[in-house]
Amino acid sequence: MTTDTTSHCPCGSKQTYGDCCGQYHSGTPAPTAEKLMRSRFCAYFLKNADYLVATTWPRQSEALDNTGLHKRTDETQWQRLEIISTEAGTETDVKGKVEFKAWFFNPSNKGEEPYHENSDFIKEEGKWFFIYPNLPAKLPARNDPCLCGSGKKFKKCCM
């Protein structure tokens, strides 16, 4: 499924798709955690599972069920997004949180229902990534930079 670049963006930003999430779907990294959240909702709406995989934290990519993700993306009819709050996640941060409700059509009751989540995001090498809350992450090696963004080696910080 695609959308015209001049139509309203499905993320609810009141911008056109081309000026909003379309640019991120085309390869420009989202500059903030909230914009990544919006672009991920838009990817669910447009059934663009490849973008969802690409914007998942690489330390979780091995544990990501790509087949299940594609199936859930294809089967769910997402309706709209409501951003409730953001915490950090600006262009200068390395971590952020976005609380949101993503509304979907539930065929069993023939109505809209919200999916409510408070998501974590991390920026690595200048790019924001979504962190799945219940998906295991591959930890860094002892001499790798710490996940917390302190600039210290993992073994000297959060290990």
Side-chain angles (χ1 to χ4, degrees):
M1 180 184 275
T2 60
T3 189
D4 184 289
T5 58
T6 60
S7 62
H8 281 117
C9 192
C11 80
S13 68
K14 299 183 181 168
Q15 295 180 306
T16 65
Y17 173 70
D19 289 336
C20 192
C21 296
Q23 63 184 316
Y24 310 130
H25 294 171
S26 295
T28 301
T32 67
E34 181 179 328
K35 288 186 179 186
L36 180 61
M37 179 64 244
R38 287 183 176 281
S39 68
R40 285 179 59 85
F41 171 82
C42 190
Y44 273 108
F45 184 92
L46 298 173
K47 308 200 180 304
N48 181 353
D50 292 338
Y51 181 79
L52 298 169
V53 171
T55 57
T56 297
W57 191 29
R59 294 186 184 277
Q60 291 182 314
S61 60
E62 289 179 19
L64 189 63
D65 176 8
N66 290 336
T67 304
L69 177 64
H70 280 79
K71 183 178 179 188
R72 286 188 309 277
T73 303
D74 288 342
E75 293 177 352
T76 306
Q77 292 179 323
W78 294 100
Q79 305 290 307
R80 60 190 168 93
L81 176 67
E82 175 188 350
I83 301 293
I84 297 169
S85 66
T86 59
E87 179 183 319
T90 67
E91 293 183 34
T92 59
D93 293 317
V94 294
K95 287 185 177 182
K97 285 188 176 289
V98 179
E99 183 179 5
F100 68 93
K101 286 184 183 177
W103 297 82
F104 64 96
F105 178 76
N106 183 339
S108 64
N109 68 10
K110 297 184 182 358
E112 264 189 354
E113 286 188 19
Y115 172 75
H116 185 189
E117 187 173 295
N118 195 356
S119 297
D120 290 310
F121 296 83
I122 191 165
K123 189 192 311 185
E124 290 185 348
E125 297 180 13
K127 188 174 176 184
W128 282 102
F129 294 99
F130 172 75
I131 301 174
Y132 277 96
N134 298 317
L135 199 61
K138 181 180 173 188
L139 292 177
R142 292 173 40 84
N143 290 321
D144 287 344
C146 190
L147 299 175
C148 73
S150 67
K152 297 178 184 177
K153 291 182 179 183
F154 184 60
K155 68 182 178 186
K156 296 281 186 180
C157 195
C158 294
M159 184 171 178

